[in-house]
């Protein structure tokens, strides 16, 4: 795992590798020294350049520091979600963070699980039989691609490695099943750890 595998749309994002995980910090003294705010309606996007596959199908985000009204969304999205929000690579950041609704799950052909509300979105819809669970500091939000199909695939969302619901992914290009994280802050630093594994079993940690 290397920071060159990461893309982001924000100068507020600072990423470093620590053993088998990515340590991501947003706001509160990032590279630009600025902060990010709910009031501004901005989302800071982080996306892996390597897609989820049948061999490497699961990733999770540990909420290490999530103060105030911060919200962390984990999901799967194509590269266009960053390109549409003014993407820059990890060494050449942009100050143009995405709109708060331009996050995984709220955009067509994407899925997303929101920590603050517990809602699980696909194609900007969240109504389904299972509504998810809220997550707080110390919890882990996970996404596992369970079914890879040509027309419609299936993802399982988890909280602390226990399934909380499924959503359909209508994105047809499997090579664009990119793990994507969005962070909305409350003018304070948010810190998360990101890990990718073959399955959601804790034995893989």
């Amino acid at each position: 795992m290397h920071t060159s595998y990461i893309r982001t749309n924000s100068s507020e994002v600072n990423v470093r590798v620590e053993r088998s995980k990515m340590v991501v910090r947003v706001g509160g003294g990032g590279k630009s020294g600025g902060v990010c705010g709910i009031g501004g309606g901005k989302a800071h996007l982080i996306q892996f350049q390597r897609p989820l596959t049948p061999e490497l199908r699961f990733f999770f985000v540990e909420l290490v520091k999530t103060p105030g009204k911060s919200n962390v969304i984990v999901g799967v999205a194509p590269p266009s979600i960053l390109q549409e929000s003014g993407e820059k690579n990890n060494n050449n950041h942009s100050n143009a963070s995405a709109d708060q609704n331009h996050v995984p799950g709220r955009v067509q052909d994407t899925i997303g699980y929101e920590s603050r509300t517990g809602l699980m979105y696909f194609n900007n819809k969240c109504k389904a039989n299972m509504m998810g669970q809220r997550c707080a500091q110390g919890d882990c939000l996970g996404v596992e691609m369970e079914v890879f199909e040509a027309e419609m695939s299936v993802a399982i969302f988890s909280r602390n490695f226990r399934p909380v619901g499924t959503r359909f992914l209508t994105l047809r290009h499997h090579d664009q099943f990119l793990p994507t994280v969005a962070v909305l802050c409350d003018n304070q630093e948010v810190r998360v750890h990101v890990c990718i594994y073959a399955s959601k079993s804790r034995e893989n940690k």
Side-chain angles (χ1 to χ4, degrees), residues 186-200:
D186 188 24
N187 293 319
Q188 298 181 61
E189 179 187 277
V190 169
R191 188 161 62 247
V192 300
H193 294 165
V194 184
C195 302
I196 298 181
Y197 291 105
S199 73
K200 63 176 174 291

Side-chain angles (χ1 to χ4, degrees), residues 87-189:
E87 173 224 3
K88 296 291 183 181
N89 63 36
N90 198 48
N91 296 316
N92 186 18
H93 295 278
S94 167
N95 290 317
S97 303
D99 179 88
Q100 62 181 343
N101 290 318
H102 194 82
V103 297
R106 302 293 190 98
V107 179
Q108 184 67 27
D109 295 330
T110 70
I111 53 172
Y113 176 23
E114 300 187 356
S115 66
R116 188 180 177 194
T117 64
L119 295 177
M120 301 176 293
Y121 282 87
F122 69 106
N123 299 348
N124 204 27
K125 303 173 184 177
C126 65
K127 293 182 178 180
N129 292 332
M130 300 179 71
M131 300 306 294
Q133 298 177 12
R134 295 182 180 182
C135 299
Q137 186 168 299
D139 289 332
C140 293
L141 295 82
V143 182
E144 180 170 12
M145 291 307 305
E146 182 69 12
V147 178
F148 291 79
E149 295 290 348
E151 298 295 326
M152 186 178 295
S153 301
V154 179
I156 299 175
F157 290 114
S158 61
R159 175 179 179 268
N160 297 332
F161 306 96
R162 295 181 180 274
V164 295
T166 61
R167 289 295 184 269
F168 292 114
L169 179 59
T170 54
L171 182 62
R172 296 185 179 184
H173 302 288
H174 294 178
D175 61 350
Q176 295 186 9
F177 283 11
L178 303 181
T180 307
V181 180
V183 177
L184 287 88
C185 308
D186 188 24
N187 293 319
Q188 298 181 61
E189 179 187 277

Side-chain angles (χ1 to χ4, degrees), residues 43-105:
H44 303 265
L45 301 176
I46 304 102
Q47 186 175 66
F48 283 79
Q49 296 188 62
R50 294 186 174 182
L52 297 177
T53 66
E55 293 74 32
L56 202 66
R57 61 176 65 222
F58 174 71
F59 84 99
F60 72 90
V61 172
E62 179 185 2
L63 305 180
V64 178
K65 184 178 181 181
T66 53
K69 297 179 180 180
S70 58
N71 190 18
V72 177
I73 301 104
V74 300
V76 176
S80 58
I81 195 170
L82 269 79
Q83 294 164 357
E84 293 166 1
S85 65
E87 173 224 3
K88 296 291 183 181
N89 63 36
N90 198 48
N91 296 316
N92 186 18
H93 295 278
S94 167
N95 290 317
S97 303
D99 179 88
Q100 62 181 343
N101 290 318
H102 194 82
V103 297

